């Protein structure tokens, strides 16, 4: 994230953008002192109102004439640097981004800054979605079109047990799990909310549009998890980033103690359990009792495996 900030914020930072907006209005002949002040207030930092207008009007930034006419002939543009193009080309090599069919025009001859194989992920399951499969791509884009255009879907898929299902539904959200490396569709029929892994979809067909204002989501059975966070080693920042895709509320109890309430679907329980345990003593589960029991069971299971591995190693060494 910090690399992104350097590439896309520092090169064309706040001053670049606000002055470009000022010059664009000046080129149209509609820049006034009041409008100059408004643009700086809206697009720059609060303290910039003291520096930017003064620099432009005094001529220390020789970009405007006495009557706010521009000294340049054309509106300013913000062309991408070679480094920015290489960064974008690297992102477009990601097979997940390719699912959205982004426009790569102008980057054909650009060498990517890095390639997908540059990174080795050790905290992600290896059986992610088949992003290169033509059938998967076709279904994904049909589902994406349905979500964007507010259209109903006829969809055929198989469940985790292998049973085949065919439903007519209202798709309302696509989700991505970084831990599982899978996309899933949340779609409602007349009775319930269906959570469908995209890799299990065999066929989908676009149907008629629906009115989103008249769409009522069936009651979704969300579970609630209450955590206590002891803010050590940037714990708050790491936890909020790690659980960013969950609906949550955060309340500060004292200087270094926070209560975080997460709401999650039953499908996410195993992933959520693993993530919570990865924070160790920094994160304490307060409720519900069922989740606390899952934590204890997982810890006991891991400890038993640790003891078994230790006994095996000691027996081998003898």
């Amino acid at each position: 994230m910090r690399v992104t900030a350097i590439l896309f914020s520092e090169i064309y930072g706040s001053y670049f953008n606000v002055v470009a907006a000022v010059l664009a209005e000046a080129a149209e002949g509609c820049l006034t002192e009041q409008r100059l002040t408004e643009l700086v207030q809206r697009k720059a930092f609060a303290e910039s109102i003291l520096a930017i207008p003064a620099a432009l009007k005094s001529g220390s930034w020789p970009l405007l004439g006495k009557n706010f006419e521009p000294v340049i002939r054309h509106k300013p543009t913000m062309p991408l640097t070679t480094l920015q193009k290489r960064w974008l080309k690297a992102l477009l090599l990601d097979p997940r981004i390719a699912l959205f069919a982004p426009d790569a025009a102008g980057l054909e001859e650009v060498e990517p800054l890095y390639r997908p194989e540059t990174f080795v992920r050790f905290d992600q399951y290896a059986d992610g979605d088949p992003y290169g499969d033509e059938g998967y791509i076709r279904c994904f884009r049909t589902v994406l079109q349905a979500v964007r255009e507010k259209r109903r879907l006829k969809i055929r898929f198989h469940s985790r047990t292998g049973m085949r299902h065919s439903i007519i539904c209202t798709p309302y959200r696509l989700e991505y799990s970084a831990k599982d490396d899978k996309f899933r569709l949340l779609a409602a029929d007349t009775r319930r909310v269906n959570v469908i892994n995209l890799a299990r979809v065999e066929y989908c067909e676009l149907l008629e549009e629906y009115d989103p204002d008249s769409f009522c989501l069936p009651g979704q059975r969300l579970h609630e998890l209450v955590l206590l966070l002891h803010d050590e080693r940037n714990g708050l920042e790491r936890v909020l980033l790690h659980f960013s895709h969950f609906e949550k509320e955060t309340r500060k109890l004292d200087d270094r103690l926070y209560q975080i309430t997460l709401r999650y679907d039953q499908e996410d329980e195993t992933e959520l359990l693993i993530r919570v345990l990865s924070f160790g003593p920094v994160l304490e589960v307060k409720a519900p009792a069922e989740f606390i029991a899952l934590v204890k069971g997982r810890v006991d299971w891991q400890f038993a495996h640790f003891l078994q591995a230790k006994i095996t190693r000691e027996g081998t060494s003898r």
Side-chain angles (χ1 to χ4, degrees):
M1 290 299 179
R2 290 180 180 177
V3 172
T4 308
I6 292 171
L7 294 181
F8 291 92
S9 294
E10 297 301 328
I11 293 176
Y12 290 137
S14 176
Y15 277 23
F16 280 91
N17 283 282
V18 69
V19 172
V22 168
L23 293 178
E25 293 222 2
E28 294 178 355
C30 54
L31 182 66
T32 63
E33 186 166 355
Q34 180 181 350
R35 183 58 180 157
L36 170 61
T37 302
E38 290 174 356
L39 286 170
V40 176
Q41 286 177 330
R42 191 173 78 244
K43 293 180 173 290
F45 303 110
E47 61 273 15
S48 300
I49 194 64
L50 302 175
I52 297 178
L56 289 171
K57 289 188 291 185
S58 68
S60 59
W61 292 2
L63 300 171
L64 292 174
K66 292 182 179 180
N67 297 315
F68 296 108
E69 71 276 5
V71 299
I72 57 177
R73 294 182 180 179
H74 305 286
K75 290 184 179 181
T77 59
M78 296 287 191
L80 294 176
T81 66
T82 300
L83 186 59
Q84 288 175 325
K85 290 179 180 179
R86 293 187 63 196
W87 170 266
L88 289 173
K89 184 64 173 287
L91 293 182
L92 293 177
L93 292 180
D94 189 315
R96 294 163 298 184
I97 293 179
L99 291 171
F100 296 87
D103 183 6
L107 300 176
E108 294 83 359
E109 305 300 323
V110 176
E111 179 67 22
L113 192 60
Y114 59 84
R115 297 187 177 275
E117 58 269 21
T118 302
F119 302 98
V120 178
R121 295 174 175 83
F122 57 88
D123 59 347
Q124 186 179 75
Y125 290 112
D127 62 340
D129 282 357
Y131 301 119
D133 181 78
E134 291 185 5
Y136 178 90
I137 295 171
R138 183 169 55 253
C139 286
F140 183 95
R141 290 179 177 170
T142 301
V143 168
L144 181 64
Q145 183 180 352
V147 172
R148 286 174 169 170
E149 297 179 0
K150 309 300 181 187
R151 296 176 64 172
R152 290 169 61 77
L153 271 177
K154 181 178 181 180
I155 189 166
R156 187 167 65 240
F157 64 97
H158 62 274
S159 67
R160 65 176 66 185
T161 61
M163 291 185 60
R164 297 181 70 182
H165 302 268
S166 182
I167 62 172
I168 293 177
C169 60
T170 304
Y172 68 94
R173 189 164 72 225
L174 265 173
E175 292 184 343
Y176 173 73
S177 169
K179 180 70 68 175
D180 293 332
D181 191 26
K182 297 178 185 293
F183 280 96
R184 63 190 183 188
L185 170 67
L186 275 66
D189 57 25
T190 55
R191 296 174 300 169
R192 62 189 293 266
V193 173
N194 299 276
V195 181
I196 306 167
N197 286 352
L198 261 294
R200 295 186 180 136
V201 175
E202 299 172 354
Y203 170 83
C204 53
E205 177 185 345
L206 287 171
L207 300 178
E208 74 281 359
E209 295 183 6
Y210 68 91
D211 181 5
D213 294 330
S214 64
F215 171 63
C216 183
L217 189 65
Q220 193 174 7
R221 294 170 294 181
L222 289 179
H223 298 260
E224 197 168 86
L225 175 64
V226 181
L227 305 167
L228 281 183
L229 169 66
H230 303 270
D231 191 15
E232 302 171 8
R233 303 187 301 277
N234 293 325
L236 180 63
E237 180 181 346
R238 292 187 293 119
V239 166
L240 293 181
L241 179 62
H242 219 57
F243 299 110
S244 60
H245 61 295
F246 289 99
E247 180 185 344
K248 59 186 172 297
E249 297 171 3
T250 304
R251 185 159 60 95
K252 187 173 184 178
L253 302 180
D254 61 34
D255 288 344
R256 304 193 69 80
L257 185 65
Y258 296 83
Q259 178 176 297
I260 301 174
T261 303
L262 295 178
R263 295 178 184 86
Y264 66 95
D265 188 272
Q266 184 69 34
E267 290 269 335
D268 293 324
E269 191 165 70
T270 301
E271 177 182 345
L272 186 59
L273 174 63
I274 295 170
R275 290 191 178 203
V276 168
L277 286 171
S278 71
F279 284 90
V282 170
L283 209 54
E284 179 183 351
V285 180
K286 297 300 291 182
E290 295 82 4
F291 201 93
I292 294 174
L294 288 175
V295 171
K296 291 180 178 178
R298 187 83 179 195
V299 171
D300 290 342
W301 177 81
Q302 289 178 333
F303 185 64
H305 276 259
F306 168 75
L307 288 180
Q308 184 61 46
K310 182 179 180 182
I311 293 171
T312 302
R313 286 197 305 271
E314 290 176 350
T316 303
S317 63
R318 290 173 187 166

